[in-house]
Amino acid sequence: MERLLSQGIIPVIVGGTNYYIESLLWNVLVDSAPEEEVTEDKLVYERDKEYYERPVVKGESGQKRNKNVGANCDENVPKKSKNDSGNPKNNNALAFHGEIEDDNAEQGKESEVKENVEKLKDESGCIAWQDCDVPTEDLYQRLLEVDPTSAMEYHPNNRRKIIRSLQVWEQTGRQHSEVLKEQRQQVGGSHLGGALRFQNTAILWITCQQDVLDERLDERVDDMIKRGLLQELTDFHMAYNTARLRDGQDADYTKGIFQSIGFKEFHQYLILPESERIMDEGKKLYLTGVENLKQVTRRYSRKQVRWIRNRFILPSKRQVPPVYTVDGTDPKRWDTKVKEPALSIVQALLEGEKPSYDPVKFSKTAEFADIDTNDKTRFECDVCGRVVIGQLQWHSHLKGAKHRKMLKRKHQTN
């Protein structure tokens, strides 16, 4: 995008997940690898795989393993850049490259990082990456020790986030919470991360009436099944879960492609012997899988709308570009309801004029007016024995049927 802008070309980003769009627009990414090691042809997963799977030879220079740091196996510590400042353009997520500034503050921080790295050398070593077999409970306990601030913001079962914070610690010797805090303290930063990367940005959001979207999503699932979704799921199951189940292990839907919508919903059907899938019970499980897939897909679409509202529109302290909605409910009226309004908005912005369409604005309902939807406060429910993260989730938990049932049971017992 920066290259296109330097050439006077306006980038147009179409589609992608909301997280992808957010990472393009705001300085929110944390990359523990030095810039010279980041290549377009190597995924972060591949880089982590090389880092964690390569055995460490005693006496081996950490430079050979990871030029950035190497945590428990590197004598060299990541260094602070002279260019590090509050300016988001000059401040990358970790800002570890270059020379150390010769002042007491920088030397103190460098000394602290070295102590962290030395501490890791005395422990069990680098363990946290996507394919590690360490139990989530153990990973969480380790995170509580090295980065309690991050740990208290995560649910103890949120394996993905726990591993990511441990990776930042293991690969840099710095706490993930400290790195994120630096991002938020940038000029233009907020509680959601760093500053907006490109000031002259506009978001066009194609909306749809929910009942119409639900019908489309159901039809999409039916179409996917006709085009071979079930065979694709079966092939993946045979190649991955069959061996795990034979060895007495549970099917793992927390890693890689198996986190995708579709696998969990058809699990009970897939574990049936092929001969039983055509029996009444097999047909019943198949239909249940189809309905569950449709239900989860519809629920996910609502989650996406809430995400856009909470991250792109509601945050008052975040630099947010204007978001314009265009109505894609009726495909027959695409030109008049989507194409023409979108072109009109973009043309006005290019000419420095105010578009004839107003950007969308949401307001919180009175019930949640004082609740920060992105809050990560940790709550522990003594009644249900559960950990809940965030004021909104805690508020919903207290009003939930399960909590009220447990509370009633407790009062009856007492």
Side-chain angles (χ1 to χ4, degrees):
M1 290 177 63
E2 291 173 344
R3 177 177 56 81
L4 290 173
L5 288 171
S6 68
Q7 297 173 353
I9 301 173
I10 299 177
V12 178
I13 310 301
V14 181
T17 68
N18 293 327
Y19 282 111
Y20 171 72
I21 294 172
E22 184 180 42
S23 68
L24 284 177
L25 297 184
W26 285 275
N27 185 22
V28 296
L29 294 181
V30 175
D31 195 344
S32 50
E35 293 177 355
E36 63 269 18
E37 291 188 8
V38 178
T39 59
E40 294 183 357
D41 60 346
K42 183 175 291 187
L43 300 174
V44 173
Y45 174 85
E46 295 171 338
R47 199 175 64 212
D48 286 346
K49 184 178 177 68
E50 291 178 2
Y51 179 86
Y52 284 97
E53 287 195 339
R54 179 179 174 184
V56 182
V57 180
K58 187 174 182 180
E60 178 188 42
S61 168
Q63 284 290 95
K64 294 180 180 179
R65 171 142 185 187
N66 187 318
K67 291 182 181 179
N68 187 28
V69 53
N72 64 320
C73 45
D74 191 3
E75 297 294 338
N76 299 288
V77 180
K79 299 182 179 181
K80 188 92 171 172
S81 171
K82 283 184 176 181
N83 294 325
D84 185 19
S85 68
N87 187 333
K89 187 157 187 165
N90 297 327
N91 189 11
N92 62 20
L94 295 179
F96 274 149
H97 320 300
E99 299 295 328
I100 302 176
E101 289 191 14
D102 191 21
D103 57 68
N104 293 333
E106 296 303 330
Q107 289 177 0
K109 177 166 285 191
E110 187 68 15
S111 176
E112 181 182 348
V113 173
K114 285 184 178 180
E115 289 178 5
N116 292 339
V117 173
E118 290 301 322
K119 180 181 178 181
L120 281 171
K121 289 179 183 178
D122 296 332
E123 296 177 354
S124 59
C126 297
I127 59 171
W129 80 297
Q130 296 93 318
D131 286 351
C132 73
D133 294 325
V134 180
T136 303
E137 181 181 357
D138 293 347
L139 291 172
Y140 187 71
Q141 288 302 315
R142 178 176 172 86
L143 185 60
L144 277 171
E145 295 173 2
V146 301
D147 188 356
T149 300
S150 289
M152 295 302 290
E153 292 184 349
Y154 301 154
H155 191 283
N157 296 334
N158 195 329
R159 184 179 180 87
R160 179 182 62 81
K161 289 188 176 181
I162 292 169
I163 286 178
R164 181 58 190 139
S165 288
L166 283 174
Q167 282 184 321
V168 174
W169 169 258
E170 290 182 348
Q171 295 181 26
T172 70
R174 297 186 69 196
Q175 294 176 330
H176 194 191
S177 57
E178 178 189 358
V179 176
L180 295 177
K181 182 179 179 181
E182 288 184 1
Q183 277 190 350
R184 294 163 184 155
Q185 290 177 340
Q186 294 174 3
V187 176
S190 71
H191 66 289
L192 294 176
L196 187 66
R197 297 176 61 206
F198 309 101
Q199 297 300 318
N200 297 320
T201 299
I203 298 176
L204 298 175
W205 179 15
I206 303 177
T207 61
C208 180
Q209 294 178 11
Q210 192 63 54
D211 58 336
V212 175
L213 181 58
D214 287 344
E215 292 181 10
R216 289 180 184 170
L217 293 174
D218 287 349
E219 292 173 357
R220 181 189 178 197
V221 170
D222 291 334
D223 183 58
M224 290 168 64
I225 291 174
K226 290 178 182 178
R227 294 167 59 187
L229 173 65
L230 196 59
Q231 186 59 51
E232 182 178 332
L233 294 175
T234 301
D235 292 342
F236 270 102
H237 174 76
M238 292 295 294
Y240 180 77
N241 277 334
T242 301
R244 293 180 61 89
L245 296 172
R246 185 175 59 244
D247 295 338
Q249 303 180 56
D250 293 331
D252 190 347
Y253 292 106
T254 65
K255 297 179 180 178
I257 188 65
F258 294 96
Q259 301 174 75
S260 302
I261 294 175
F263 286 103
K264 295 187 293 293
E265 289 70 32
F266 281 95
H267 175 72
Q268 294 300 323
Y269 173 79
L270 293 172
I271 62 177
L272 287 177
E274 191 170 348
S275 59
E276 294 184 21
R277 293 178 185 172
I278 60 175
M279 308 296 286
D280 289 343
E281 181 63 20
K283 293 179 181 178
K284 180 180 178 181
L285 290 175
Y286 166 75
L287 293 176
T288 299
V290 172
E291 182 55 37
N292 287 343
L293 178 56
K294 290 180 178 180
Q295 185 181 54
V296 171
T297 303
R298 294 193 297 267
R299 189 183 307 139
Y300 184 65
S301 73
R302 288 165 170 78
K303 182 178 179 180
Q304 288 180 314
V305 172
R306 290 195 300 271
W307 196 96
I308 293 173
R309 180 187 61 200
N310 293 335
R311 308 280 291 198
F312 285 6
I313 300 173
L314 281 180
S316 57
K317 296 181 181 179
R318 190 182 209 186
Q319 290 180 312
V320 179
V323 179
Y324 299 91
T325 59
V326 287
D327 188 0
T329 301
D330 186 357
K332 295 180 180 178
R333 303 176 65 189
W334 180 267
D335 284 351
T336 58
K337 303 294 286 186
V338 178
K339 180 181 176 181
E340 293 173 6
L343 289 176
S344 172
I345 292 168
V346 173
Q347 188 62 40
L349 293 173
L350 288 176
E351 295 175 357
E353 299 177 357
K354 180 181 178 181
S356 56
Y357 298 86
D358 293 327
V360 65
K361 291 182 179 180
F362 279 123
S363 60
K364 294 183 180 180
T365 62
E367 182 180 8
F368 299 116
D370 298 326
I371 295 179
D372 180 2
T373 54
N374 295 288
D375 173 73
K376 296 181 180 179
T377 303
R378 178 190 177 97
F379 298 91
E380 296 185 14
C381 181
D382 296 332
V383 176
C384 304
R386 288 188 56 190
V387 173
V388 180
I389 304 298
Q391 295 182 48
L392 181 61
Q393 288 74 13
W394 176 244
H395 186 89
S396 299
H397 172 74
L398 294 179
K399 289 199 166 190
K402 184 176 180 180
H403 174 79
R404 288 186 278 109
K405 182 178 179 180
M406 294 290 287
L407 188 61
K408 182 178 179 180
R409 184 183 301 172
K410 184 175 181 180
H411 288 327
Q412 290 174 343
T413 304
N414 295 336

